[in-house]
Amino acid sequence: MGHEMVSAEEVARWTDYVLQDDILYAHVLEPKNQAVFMRASAVNMLHSFLMADRFGYFFLTEEKLQEVIDKVALLVLLEKDTRGFIGRRGWAHMFFELTNIFKEMTERTDLLRGDHIFMMTVLVERYRRLRTPLEMGEQNEIAEYLVSLLKRHRLYQDYFLMELKDWRAWLKQQSDVDNEGDWHLFFNYQRLMTALLVDKDLPPKVMAEIIEQEI
């Protein structure tokens, strides 16, 4: 592919750069701060590099792809900043950016079903424990990712329904709803279920289960 403005080797080097811990995880364990923009930019760039690999650069080895999956999964588990547009400073939108990578991964033919199950589990489990709101379109992106995966095979549907059953049981155990964070657990769940139900491609089996339990 000699007509590209950049080489596959250069894209590979940029990928290594954004995967560095001090870039991808910049201040992620600290209170909300400006570093969220660095993390969001790194995830956005990584999404672009993944697309470049799929569309013809072919620079990702099996080992490097697994590193991407592992590092992104860890970032999902660590990330606490759910802000969308921040004041006059622009978009952080971390969970929006992260979900774009998950959506890109559903397009790859070189991932095993176990990889997809792992990624879906990480995102769903993290989402359900967020005690701050996701309300600037993130739930729509997450629903789109889930539907794109669920419609591929019944295995993903069965696994998601098992996750959903456990999620609902867990919510019922949250009996002492007496602060803002507690309420966000419930409303984040409701927003995602609504986003799933309005997606015309949601498999009927999953739709029926959500409707039966929520309506």
Side-chain angles (χ1 to χ4, degrees):
M1 302 188 66
H3 60 281
E4 277 81 7
M5 296 179 64
V6 296
S7 67
E9 291 75 17
E10 289 175 305
V11 181
R13 284 198 297 272
W14 292 342
T15 301
D16 287 337
Y17 174 76
V18 299
L19 285 175
Q20 294 179 95
D21 290 352
D22 58 349
I23 301 295
L24 195 63
Y25 306 132
H27 302 281
V28 71
L29 296 179
E30 300 173 14
K32 294 175 181 177
N33 58 65
Q34 290 283 80
V36 67
F37 293 108
M38 178 187 292
R39 298 197 301 274
S41 295
V43 174
N44 181 275
M45 292 173 66
L46 184 57
H47 174 236
S48 297
F49 300 153
L50 288 168
M51 290 183 62
D53 179 74
R54 182 165 60 89
F55 282 116
Y57 277 87
F58 305 130
F59 67 91
L60 284 174
T61 63
E62 182 178 344
E63 293 75 16
K64 182 59 66 174
L65 181 58
Q66 191 60 53
E67 180 185 355
V68 170
I69 292 173
D70 291 344
K71 288 209 162 190
V72 169
L74 179 57
L75 181 55
V76 171
L77 295 175
L78 296 175
E79 187 60 62
K80 297 179 291 185
D81 198 328
T82 59
R83 291 176 295 175
F85 197 86
I86 303 176
R88 296 175 179 268
R89 289 172 287 176
W91 288 98
H93 235 185
M94 274 300 297
F95 281 88
F96 186 99
E97 298 289 358
L98 284 164
T99 305
N100 278 337
I101 289 187
F102 281 64
K103 288 166 64 178
E104 172 60 25
M105 289 299 189
T106 65
E107 300 297 327
R108 300 193 67 97
T109 59
D110 51 350
L111 292 185
L112 300 175
R113 288 176 180 170
D115 294 318
H116 290 302
I117 291 289
F118 169 71
M119 295 190 72
M120 177 170 62
T121 302
V122 167
L123 188 58
V124 170
E125 290 292 328
R126 183 67 187 113
Y127 180 95
R128 86 179 198 178
R129 288 170 171 80
L130 290 172
R131 302 180 67 84
T132 50
L134 284 174
E135 53 189 3
M136 292 192 178
E138 299 91 347
Q139 69 278 359
N140 297 326
E141 289 297 302
I142 294 172
E144 186 176 326
Y145 156 68
L146 290 171
V147 170
S148 70
L149 186 59
L150 295 176
K151 68 183 183 181
R152 289 176 181 268
H153 197 277
R154 181 175 178 176
L155 170 69
Y156 303 129
Q157 298 175 32
D158 291 341
Y159 187 83
F160 179 70
L161 290 176
M162 184 173 63
E163 277 280 325
L164 205 56
K165 181 179 179 181
D166 184 68
W167 190 350
R168 287 195 297 263
W170 180 79
L171 280 176
K172 289 179 181 178
Q173 295 173 2
Q174 313 305 310
S175 55
D176 297 327
V177 183
D178 58 4
N179 61 60
E180 187 175 343
D182 292 338
W183 283 112
H184 288 314
L185 294 175
F186 289 91
F187 284 107
N188 281 338
Y189 171 83
Q190 290 179 2
R191 279 191 285 267
L192 181 58
M193 293 305 106
T194 299
L196 285 168
L197 287 175
V198 299
D199 192 313
K200 62 180 178 59
D201 293 323
L202 182 67
K205 178 179 180 179
V206 180
M207 180 180 291
E209 178 67 19
I210 294 175
I211 290 174
E212 179 181 347
Q213 297 296 326
E214 308 305 325
I215 297 179

Short mmCIF file of all heavy atoms in Angstrom, two decimals, residues 71-123:
data_model
loop_
_atom_site.label_atom_id
_atom_site.label_comp_id
_atom_site.label_asym_id
_atom_site.label_seq_id
_atom_site.Cartn_x
_atom_site.Cartn_y
_atom_site.Cartn_z
N LYS A 71 -5.66 -3.66 27.48
CA LYS A 71 -5.46 -2.31 28.01
C LYS A 71 -6.74 -1.50 27.98
O LYS A 71 -7.03 -0.73 28.91
CB LYS A 71 -4.34 -1.61 27.23
CG LYS A 71 -2.96 -2.16 27.52
CD LYS A 71 -1.89 -1.10 27.35
CE LYS A 71 -0.61 -1.49 28.04
NZ LYS A 71 0.36 -0.39 28.10
N VAL A 72 -7.54 -1.67 26.94
CA VAL A 72 -8.81 -0.96 26.87
C VAL A 72 -9.77 -1.49 27.93
O VAL A 72 -10.47 -0.72 28.60
CB VAL A 72 -9.43 -1.09 25.46
CG1 VAL A 72 -10.88 -0.60 25.45
CG2 VAL A 72 -8.61 -0.30 24.45
N ALA A 73 -9.78 -2.81 28.13
CA ALA A 73 -10.63 -3.39 29.17
C ALA A 73 -10.25 -2.85 30.54
O ALA A 73 -11.12 -2.51 31.35
CB ALA A 73 -10.51 -4.92 29.14
N LEU A 74 -8.96 -2.74 30.81
CA LEU A 74 -8.52 -2.21 32.10
C LEU A 74 -8.95 -0.76 32.25
O LEU A 74 -9.39 -0.34 33.34
CB LEU A 74 -7.00 -2.32 32.23
CG LEU A 74 -6.40 -1.78 33.54
CD1 LEU A 74 -7.02 -2.45 34.76
CD2 LEU A 74 -4.89 -1.93 33.53
N LEU A 75 -8.85 0.03 31.18
CA LEU A 75 -9.28 1.43 31.26
C LEU A 75 -10.77 1.53 31.56
O LEU A 75 -11.19 2.39 32.35
CB LEU A 75 -8.95 2.15 29.95
CG LEU A 75 -9.32 3.64 29.90
CD1 LEU A 75 -8.70 4.42 31.05
CD2 LEU A 75 -8.91 4.25 28.56
N VAL A 76 -11.57 0.67 30.94
CA VAL A 76 -13.01 0.67 31.24
C VAL A 76 -13.24 0.43 32.73
O VAL A 76 -14.07 1.10 33.37
CB VAL A 76 -13.74 -0.39 30.40
CG1 VAL A 76 -15.18 -0.55 30.87
CG2 VAL A 76 -13.71 -0.02 28.92
N LEU A 77 -12.51 -0.51 33.30
CA LEU A 77 -12.71 -0.85 34.70
C LEU A 77 -12.23 0.25 35.64
O LEU A 77 -12.77 0.43 36.73
CB LEU A 77 -11.97 -2.16 35.02
CG LEU A 77 -12.49 -3.40 34.30
CD1 LEU A 77 -11.60 -4.61 34.62
CD2 LEU A 77 -13.93 -3.70 34.68
N LEU A 78 -11.22 1.01 35.21
CA LEU A 78 -10.66 2.07 36.05
C LEU A 78 -11.39 3.40 35.89
O LEU A 78 -11.42 4.20 36.84
CB LEU A 78 -9.18 2.28 35.72
CG LEU A 78 -8.21 1.13 36.01
CD1 LEU A 78 -6.82 1.49 35.51
CD2 LEU A 78 -8.19 0.80 37.49
N GLU A 79 -11.95 3.64 34.73
CA GLU A 79 -12.49 4.96 34.41
C GLU A 79 -13.69 5.30 35.29
O GLU A 79 -14.62 4.50 35.43
CB GLU A 79 -12.88 5.02 32.94
CG GLU A 79 -13.31 6.40 32.46
CD GLU A 79 -12.21 7.43 32.64
OE1 GLU A 79 -11.14 7.27 32.02
OE2 GLU A 79 -12.44 8.39 33.42
N LYS A 80 -13.66 6.49 35.86
CA LYS A 80 -14.76 6.97 36.71
C LYS A 80 -15.38 8.25 36.19
O LYS A 80 -16.43 8.66 36.67
CB LYS A 80 -14.24 7.20 38.13
CG LYS A 80 -13.73 5.96 38.84
CD LYS A 80 -13.21 6.27 40.22
CE LYS A 80 -11.92 7.08 40.14
NZ LYS A 80 -11.29 7.31 41.47
N ASP A 81 -14.74 8.89 35.23
CA ASP A 81 -15.21 10.19 34.75
C ASP A 81 -16.28 9.99 33.68
O ASP A 81 -15.98 9.60 32.55
CB ASP A 81 -14.04 11.00 34.19
CG ASP A 81 -14.36 12.49 34.09
OD1 ASP A 81 -15.54 12.82 33.84
OD2 ASP A 81 -13.44 13.30 34.24
N THR A 82 -17.52 10.24 34.05
CA THR A 82 -18.64 10.02 33.11
C THR A 82 -19.13 11.33 32.48
O THR A 82 -20.19 11.36 31.85
CB THR A 82 -19.82 9.36 33.84
OG1 THR A 82 -20.25 10.19 34.92
CG2 THR A 82 -19.44 8.00 34.38
N ARG A 83 -18.35 12.39 32.64
CA ARG A 83 -18.79 13.67 32.08
C ARG A 83 -18.80 13.63 30.55
O ARG A 83 -17.97 12.98 29.92
CB ARG A 83 -17.86 14.79 32.56
CG ARG A 83 -17.98 15.10 34.03
CD ARG A 83 -16.97 16.15 34.47
NE ARG A 83 -15.59 15.68 34.34
CZ ARG A 83 -14.52 16.44 34.57
NH1 ARG A 83 -14.68 17.71 34.94
NH2 ARG A 83 -13.30 15.93 34.44
N GLY A 84 -19.77 14.34 29.98
CA GLY A 84 -19.84 14.47 28.53
C GLY A 84 -19.16 15.75 28.10
O GLY A 84 -17.95 15.82 27.96
N PHE A 85 -19.97 16.80 27.88
CA PHE A 85 -19.42 18.11 27.56
C PHE A 85 -19.13 18.84 28.87
O PHE A 85 -20.00 18.95 29.72
CB PHE A 85 -20.40 18.92 26.70
CG PHE A 85 -19.76 20.08 26.00
CD1 PHE A 85 -19.15 19.92 24.78
CD2 PHE A 85 -19.77 21.34 26.59
CE1 PHE A 85 -18.55 20.99 24.13
CE2 PHE A 85 -19.18 22.42 25.95
CZ PHE A 85 -18.57 22.25 24.71
N ILE A 86 -17.91 19.33 29.01
CA ILE A 86 -17.47 19.91 30.28
C ILE A 86 -17.36 21.42 30.15
O ILE A 86 -16.44 21.95 29.50
CB ILE A 86 -16.11 19.32 30.72
CG1 ILE A 86 -16.21 17.80 30.84
CG2 ILE A 86 -15.68 19.94 32.04
CD1 ILE A 86 -14.90 17.13 31.16
N GLY A 87 -18.30 22.11 30.77
CA GLY A 87 -18.26 23.57 30.76
C GLY A 87 -18.08 24.14 29.37
O GLY A 87 -18.83 23.81 28.45
N ARG A 88 -17.06 24.97 29.20
CA ARG A 88 -16.72 25.53 27.89
C ARG A 88 -15.47 24.87 27.30
O ARG A 88 -14.93 25.33 26.29
CB ARG A 88 -16.49 27.05 28.01
CG ARG A 88 -17.71 27.84 28.44
CD ARG A 88 -17.37 29.30 28.65
NE ARG A 88 -18.53 30.07 29.03
CZ ARG A 88 -19.33 30.72 28.16
NH1 ARG A 88 -19.07 30.66 26.86
NH2 ARG A 88 -20.38 31.40 28.59
N ARG A 89 -15.03 23.80 27.95
CA ARG A 89 -13.76 23.19 27.55
C ARG A 89 -13.90 22.12 26.49
O ARG A 89 -12.92 21.68 25.89
CB ARG A 89 -13.06 22.61 28.80
CG ARG A 89 -12.52 23.68 29.73
CD ARG A 89 -12.02 23.07 31.03
NE ARG A 89 -13.13 22.64 31.89
CZ ARG A 89 -12.97 22.01 33.03
NH1 ARG A 89 -11.77 21.69 33.46
NH2 ARG A 89 -14.04 21.66 33.76
N GLY A 90 -15.11 21.65 26.25
CA GLY A 90 -15.31 20.67 25.19
C GLY A 90 -15.70 19.29 25.72
O GLY A 90 -16.01 19.11 26.89
N TRP A 91 -15.64 18.32 24.82
CA TRP A 91 -16.08 16.97 25.12
C TRP A 91 -14.99 16.15 25.79
O TRP A 91 -13.86 16.11 25.32
CB TRP A 91 -16.50 16.25 23.85
CG TRP A 91 -17.79 16.74 23.27
CD1 TRP A 91 -17.93 17.62 22.24
CD2 TRP A 91 -19.12 16.38 23.68
NE1 TRP A 91 -19.27 17.83 21.99
CE2 TRP A 91 -20.01 17.08 22.85
CE3 TRP A 91 -19.62 15.52 24.66
CZ2 TRP A 91 -21.40 16.96 22.98
CZ3 TRP A 91 -20.99 15.40 24.79
CH2 TRP A 91 -21.86 16.11 23.95
N ALA A 92 -15.35 15.48 26.89
CA ALA A 92 -14.52 14.42 27.45
C ALA A 92 -15.08 13.10 26.91
O ALA A 92 -14.42 12.39 26.16
CB ALA A 92 -14.54 14.44 28.96
N HIS A 93 -16.32 12.78 27.33
CA HIS A 93 -17.09 11.70 26.70
C HIS A 93 -16.33 10.36 26.70
O HIS A 93 -16.33 9.64 25.69
CB HIS A 93 -17.43 12.10 25.26
CG HIS A 93 -18.89 12.04 24.97
ND1 HIS A 93 -19.42 12.27 23.70
CD2 HIS A 93 -19.96 11.79 25.76
CE1 HIS A 93 -20.73 12.17 23.75
NE2 HIS A 93 -21.09 11.88 24.99
N MET A 94 -15.70 10.03 27.82
CA MET A 94 -14.86 8.84 27.85
C MET A 94 -15.61 7.56 27.50
O MET A 94 -15.10 6.73 26.73
CB MET A 94 -14.22 8.70 29.23
CG MET A 94 -12.92 9.48 29.39
SD MET A 94 -11.64 8.97 28.20
CE MET A 94 -11.37 7.27 28.70
N PHE A 95 -16.80 7.38 28.05
CA PHE A 95 -17.49 6.12 27.79
C PHE A 95 -18.05 6.07 26.37
O PHE A 95 -18.25 4.97 25.82
CB PHE A 95 -18.58 5.88 28.85
CG PHE A 95 -18.02 5.35 30.13
CD1 PHE A 95 -17.58 6.22 31.13
CD2 PHE A 95 -17.89 4.00 30.34
CE1 PHE A 95 -17.04 5.74 32.31
CE2 PHE A 95 -17.35 3.50 31.52
CZ PHE A 95 -16.91 4.38 32.51
N PHE A 96 -18.27 7.21 25.77
CA PHE A 96 -18.62 7.27 24.34
C PHE A 96 -17.43 6.82 23.51
O PHE A 96 -17.55 5.98 22.61
CB PHE A 96 -19.03 8.70 24.00
CG PHE A 96 -19.57 8.88 22.60
CD1 PHE A 96 -20.93 8.93 22.37
CD2 PHE A 96 -18.70 9.03 21.53
CE1 PHE A 96 -21.43 9.11 21.09
CE2 PHE A 96 -19.19 9.21 20.24
CZ PHE A 96 -20.55 9.24 20.02
N GLU A 97 -16.26 7.40 23.80
CA GLU A 97 -15.05 7.06 23.05
C GLU A 97 -14.68 5.59 23.24
O GLU A 97 -14.30 4.90 22.28
CB GLU A 97 -13.88 7.95 23.49
CG GLU A 97 -14.08 9.44 23.26
CD GLU A 97 -14.02 9.83 21.79
OE1 GLU A 97 -13.80 8.94 20.94
OE2 GLU A 97 -14.21 11.02 21.49
N LEU A 98 -14.76 5.10 24.46
CA LEU A 98 -14.43 3.70 24.72
C LEU A 98 -15.36 2.76 23.97
O LEU A 98 -14.93 1.74 23.41
CB LEU A 98 -14.49 3.42 26.22
CG LEU A 98 -13.32 3.96 27.04
CD1 LEU A 98 -13.66 3.97 28.53
CD2 LEU A 98 -12.06 3.13 26.80
N THR A 99 -16.64 3.09 23.94
CA THR A 99 -17.61 2.21 23.26
C THR A 99 -17.34 2.16 21.77
O THR A 99 -17.59 1.14 21.12
CB THR A 99 -19.04 2.68 23.54
OG1 THR A 99 -19.25 2.74 24.95
CG2 THR A 99 -20.05 1.71 22.94
N ASN A 100 -16.81 3.24 21.19
CA ASN A 100 -16.46 3.21 19.77
C ASN A 100 -15.42 2.13 19.48
O ASN A 100 -15.46 1.49 18.42
CB ASN A 100 -15.93 4.57 19.33
CG ASN A 100 -17.04 5.55 19.01
OD1 ASN A 100 -18.16 5.15 18.69
ND2 ASN A 100 -16.74 6.83 19.09
N ILE A 101 -14.49 1.93 20.41
CA ILE A 101 -13.51 0.85 20.22
C ILE A 101 -14.20 -0.51 20.30
O ILE A 101 -13.92 -1.41 19.50
CB ILE A 101 -12.38 0.96 21.26
CG1 ILE A 101 -11.50 2.17 20.94
CG2 ILE A 101 -11.55 -0.32 21.30
CD1 ILE A 101 -10.27 2.30 21.78
N PHE A 102 -15.12 -0.67 21.25
CA PHE A 102 -15.84 -1.93 21.35
C PHE A 102 -16.64 -2.20 20.07
O PHE A 102 -16.69 -3.34 19.59
CB PHE A 102 -16.78 -1.89 22.55
CG PHE A 102 -16.08 -2.14 23.87
CD1 PHE A 102 -15.12 -1.27 24.34
CD2 PHE A 102 -16.39 -3.26 24.63
CE1 PHE A 102 -14.48 -1.50 25.55
CE2 PHE A 102 -15.76 -3.50 25.84
CZ PHE A 102 -14.79 -2.61 26.30
N LYS A 103 -17.25 -1.16 19.52
CA LYS A 103 -18.00 -1.32 18.28
C LYS A 103 -17.08 -1.72 17.13
O LYS A 103 -17.42 -2.56 16.30
CB LYS A 103 -18.74 -0.02 17.95
CG LYS A 103 -19.92 0.25 18.86
CD LYS A 103 -20.41 1.68 18.74
CE LYS A 103 -20.94 2.00 17.37
NZ LYS A 103 -21.46 3.39 17.31
N GLU A 104 -15.91 -1.10 17.08
CA GLU A 104 -14.94 -1.44 16.04
C GLU A 104 -14.52 -2.90 16.15
O GLU A 104 -14.33 -3.60 15.15
CB GLU A 104 -13.72 -0.52 16.14
CG GLU A 104 -12.56 -0.88 15.25
CD GLU A 104 -12.88 -0.87 13.76
OE1 GLU A 104 -13.83 -0.16 13.34
OE2 GLU A 104 -12.19 -1.58 13.00
N MET A 105 -14.37 -3.38 17.38
CA MET A 105 -13.94 -4.77 17.57
C MET A 105 -14.97 -5.76 17.04
O MET A 105 -14.62 -6.88 16.64
CB MET A 105 -13.67 -5.03 19.05
CG MET A 105 -12.42 -4.37 19.59
SD MET A 105 -10.92 -4.93 18.75
CE MET A 105 -9.67 -4.17 19.81
N THR A 106 -16.25 -5.39 17.02
CA THR A 106 -17.26 -6.31 16.49
C THR A 106 -17.10 -6.50 14.99
O THR A 106 -17.65 -7.46 14.42
CB THR A 106 -18.70 -5.82 16.78
OG1 THR A 106 -18.94 -4.59 16.08
CG2 THR A 106 -18.92 -5.61 18.27
N GLU A 107 -16.38 -5.60 14.33
CA GLU A 107 -16.19 -5.68 12.89
C GLU A 107 -15.01 -6.58 12.50
O GLU A 107 -14.84 -6.90 11.33
CB GLU A 107 -15.95 -4.28 12.31
CG GLU A 107 -17.09 -3.31 12.54
CD GLU A 107 -18.36 -3.74 11.85
OE1 GLU A 107 -18.29 -4.37 10.76
OE2 GLU A 107 -19.44 -3.48 12.40
N ARG A 108 -14.23 -6.97 13.47
CA ARG A 108 -13.03 -7.75 13.17
C ARG A 108 -13.39 -9.23 13.05
O ARG A 108 -14.18 -9.77 13.83
CB ARG A 108 -11.97 -7.56 14.25
CG ARG A 108 -11.51 -6.11 14.41
CD ARG A 108 -10.25 -6.05 15.25
NE ARG A 108 -9.13 -6.66 14.57
CZ ARG A 108 -8.22 -5.97 13.88
NH1 ARG A 108 -8.31 -4.66 13.76
NH2 ARG A 108 -7.22 -6.59 13.30
N THR A 109 -12.78 -9.89 12.09
CA THR A 109 -13.02 -11.32 11.87
C THR A 109 -11.96 -12.18 12.55
O THR A 109 -12.07 -13.41 12.51
CB THR A 109 -13.03 -11.63 10.36
OG1 THR A 109 -11.76 -11.26 9.79
CG2 THR A 109 -14.15 -10.86 9.66
N ASP A 110 -10.97 -11.53 13.16
CA ASP A 110 -9.87 -12.30 13.76
C ASP A 110 -10.01 -12.44 15.27
O ASP A 110 -9.06 -12.87 15.94
CB ASP A 110 -8.52 -11.66 13.42
CG ASP A 110 -8.46 -10.17 13.72
OD1 ASP A 110 -9.51 -9.58 14.02
OD2 ASP A 110 -7.35 -9.60 13.64
N LEU A 111 -11.17 -12.07 15.82
CA LEU A 111 -11.39 -12.25 17.25
C LEU A 111 -12.23 -13.49 17.51
O LEU A 111 -13.15 -13.80 16.75
CB LEU A 111 -12.09 -11.02 17.84
CG LEU A 111 -11.31 -9.71 17.88
CD1 LEU A 111 -12.11 -8.65 18.62
CD2 LEU A 111 -9.95 -9.89 18.53
N LEU A 112 -11.91 -14.17 18.58
CA LEU A 112 -12.67 -15.35 18.98
C LEU A 112 -13.94 -14.92 19.72
O LEU A 112 -14.04 -13.80 20.22
CB LEU A 112 -11.81 -16.24 19.88
CG LEU A 112 -10.51 -16.76 19.30
CD1 LEU A 112 -9.73 -17.53 20.36
CD2 LEU A 112 -10.77 -17.64 18.08
N ARG A 113 -14.90 -15.82 19.81
CA ARG A 113 -16.11 -15.52 20.56
C ARG A 113 -15.79 -15.22 22.01
O ARG A 113 -16.44 -14.38 22.64
CB ARG A 113 -17.10 -16.69 20.46
CG ARG A 113 -17.74 -16.81 19.08
CD ARG A 113 -18.64 -18.03 18.98
NE ARG A 113 -19.25 -18.13 17.66
CZ ARG A 113 -19.91 -19.19 17.22
NH1 ARG A 113 -20.07 -20.25 18.01
NH2 ARG A 113 -20.42 -19.21 16.00
N GLY A 114 -14.79 -15.88 22.54
CA GLY A 114 -14.38 -15.62 23.91
C GLY A 114 -13.92 -14.18 24.11
O GLY A 114 -14.16 -13.59 25.17
N ASP A 115 -13.25 -13.62 23.09
CA ASP A 115 -12.83 -12.22 23.17
C ASP A 115 -14.04 -11.30 23.25
O ASP A 115 -14.06 -10.35 24.04
CB ASP A 115 -11.99 -11.84 21.94
CG ASP A 115 -10.66 -12.59 21.88
OD1 ASP A 115 -10.01 -12.72 22.94
OD2 ASP A 115 -10.28 -13.04 20.78
N HIS A 116 -15.04 -11.59 22.43
CA HIS A 116 -16.25 -10.76 22.42
C HIS A 116 -17.02 -10.89 23.74
O HIS A 116 -17.53 -9.89 24.27
CB HIS A 116 -17.15 -11.14 21.25
CG HIS A 116 -16.59 -10.75 19.92
ND1 HIS A 116 -16.28 -9.45 19.59
CD2 HIS A 116 -16.27 -11.50 18.82
CE1 HIS A 116 -15.82 -9.41 18.35
NE2 HIS A 116 -15.80 -10.64 17.87
N ILE A 117 -17.10 -12.09 24.27
CA ILE A 117 -17.77 -12.29 25.56
C ILE A 117 -17.04 -11.52 26.65
O ILE A 117 -17.66 -10.86 27.50
CB ILE A 117 -17.83 -13.79 25.92
CG1 ILE A 117 -18.79 -14.54 24.98
CG2 ILE A 117 -18.23 -13.98 27.38
CD1 ILE A 117 -20.26 -14.22 25.20
N PHE A 118 -15.72 -11.59 26.63
CA PHE A 118 -14.92 -10.88 27.63
C PHE A 118 -15.18 -9.38 27.55
O PHE A 118 -15.42 -8.71 28.57
CB PHE A 118 -13.43 -11.17 27.40
CG PHE A 118 -12.50 -10.28 28.18
CD1 PHE A 118 -12.39 -10.41 29.56
CD2 PHE A 118 -11.74 -9.32 27.54
CE1 PHE A 118 -11.53 -9.58 30.29
CE2 PHE A 118 -10.89 -8.49 28.26
CZ PHE A 118 -10.78 -8.63 29.63
N MET A 119 -15.15 -8.81 26.35
CA MET A 119 -15.32 -7.37 26.19
C MET A 119 -16.72 -6.93 26.59
O MET A 119 -16.90 -5.91 27.26
CB MET A 119 -14.99 -6.95 24.76
CG MET A 119 -13.54 -7.17 24.38
SD MET A 119 -13.10 -6.41 22.80
CE MET A 119 -13.11 -4.68 23.25
N MET A 120 -17.73 -7.70 26.19
CA MET A 120 -19.10 -7.35 26.57
C MET A 120 -19.27 -7.39 28.08
O MET A 120 -19.89 -6.50 28.67
CB MET A 120 -20.10 -8.30 25.91
CG MET A 120 -21.55 -8.04 26.33
SD MET A 120 -22.79 -8.95 25.36
CE MET A 120 -22.35 -10.65 25.73
N THR A 121 -18.68 -8.39 28.72
CA THR A 121 -18.79 -8.51 30.17
C THR A 121 -18.15 -7.32 30.87
O THR A 121 -18.73 -6.75 31.81
CB THR A 121 -18.11 -9.81 30.65
OG1 THR A 121 -18.71 -10.93 30.01
CG2 THR A 121 -18.25 -9.96 32.16
N VAL A 122 -16.98 -6.94 30.43
CA VAL A 122 -16.27 -5.80 31.03
C VAL A 122 -17.10 -4.54 30.95
O VAL A 122 -17.27 -3.81 31.94
CB VAL A 122 -14.90 -5.60 30.35
CG1 VAL A 122 -14.30 -4.24 30.73
CG2 VAL A 122 -13.93 -6.70 30.74
N LEU A 123 -17.66 -4.26 29.76
CA LEU A 123 -18.42 -3.02 29.58
C LEU A 123 -19.72 -3.04 30.38
O LEU A 123 -20.06 -2.06 31.05
CB LEU A 123 -18.71 -2.79 28.10
CG LEU A 123 -19.34 -1.45 27.75
CD1 LEU A 123 -18.46 -0.28 28.20
CD2 LEU A 123 -19.61 -1.35 26.25
#
